[in-house]
Amino acid sequence: MRPNSMARLLTPEHSISLQNSIGSDIIMQLDDVIATTSPDLARMKEAMGRSVRWLDRCIKAHKYPERQNLFCIIQGGLDLDLRRECTTEMVARDTPGIAIGGLSGGEAKDEYCKVVDTCTGLLPEKKPRYVMGVVRITQSPGPRTQAHISRDTPRIWWSP
């Protein structure tokens, strides 16, 4: 924390209120994300359960569901059983879209592919899907390069 700054508590309700106030077309639930490389299974379970509970609070706090689409965020680290459990819980809440979160935290490519495959196999066919933070730039910027933003990519590239 910077000197002379005040700590602020971000709750699921406040997160949704902020997103409602700026009029975002897509808003994201507040979730509890940990590094996918963490070996702490108890902490992974805690983060997953908290994310599910926080989604319920986000849904209740959401003022404009008719014009703003709330996406849930699936958590569970690299544990495929936790991912299945979280996916089942999130799908049951019937949000307009679904995100797969908690990736690009240093895990091997084959590990995050397993997570994405496991989760997408359980998702409804006709809902938007968003895999968060897994984009990597594989070519130099050029006329066909799309905009990419990722936690592991400290710059943004785009086409004119």
Side-chain angles (χ1 to χ4, degrees):
M1 188 168 18
R2 295 176 298 173
N4 300 322
S5 65
M6 294 176 23
R8 297 181 192 258
L9 176 65
L10 182 62
T11 64
E13 294 81 8
H14 188 59
S15 171
I16 295 299
S17 174
L18 292 170
Q19 294 176 83
N20 282 159
S21 71
I22 62 173
S24 303
D25 293 329
I26 295 174
I27 63 176
M28 307 303 293
Q29 78 159 102
L30 183 64
D31 61 334
D32 182 359
V33 61
I34 65 169
T36 54
T37 55
S38 171
D40 189 344
L41 183 61
R43 178 65 183 101
M44 274 189 261
K45 286 181 181 180
E46 176 186 52
M48 184 205 69
R50 181 174 290 127
S51 294
V52 172
R53 291 189 307 276
W54 281 359
L55 175 60
D56 291 335
R57 291 171 59 183
C58 288
I59 290 169
K60 287 180 187 171
H62 189 14
K63 292 180 184 172
Y64 309 114
E66 69 286 348
R67 65 179 189 247
Q68 290 180 299
N69 297 290
L70 173 61
F71 279 40
C72 63
I73 304 173
I74 298 167
Q75 293 295 341
L78 296 177
D79 186 291
L80 298 181
D81 289 332
L82 287 181
R83 289 288 182 159
R84 286 182 194 98
E85 181 181 343
C86 192
T87 301
T88 300
E89 290 291 333
M90 297 303 195
V91 167
R93 273 110 177 126
D94 197 30
T95 58
I98 301 169
I100 300 171
L103 294 170
S104 284
E107 71 280 350
K109 182 178 179 180
D110 66 316
E111 293 294 320
Y112 78 67
C113 287
K114 285 180 195 173
V115 168
V116 171
D117 186 56
T118 297
C119 294
T120 57
L122 300 169
L123 296 179
E125 290 285 322
K126 298 192 181 216
K127 290 211 179 206
R129 302 166 179 198
Y130 170 31
V131 179
M132 302 176 79
V134 295
V135 175
R136 287 183 173 77
I137 295 177
T138 57
Q139 66 182 47
S140 298
R144 296 189 185 269
T145 304
Q146 299 296 311
H148 299 287
I149 303 172
S150 177
R151 286 180 285 180
D152 58 29
T153 306
R155 56 192 167 271
I156 302 171
W157 305 59
W158 65 88
S159 300

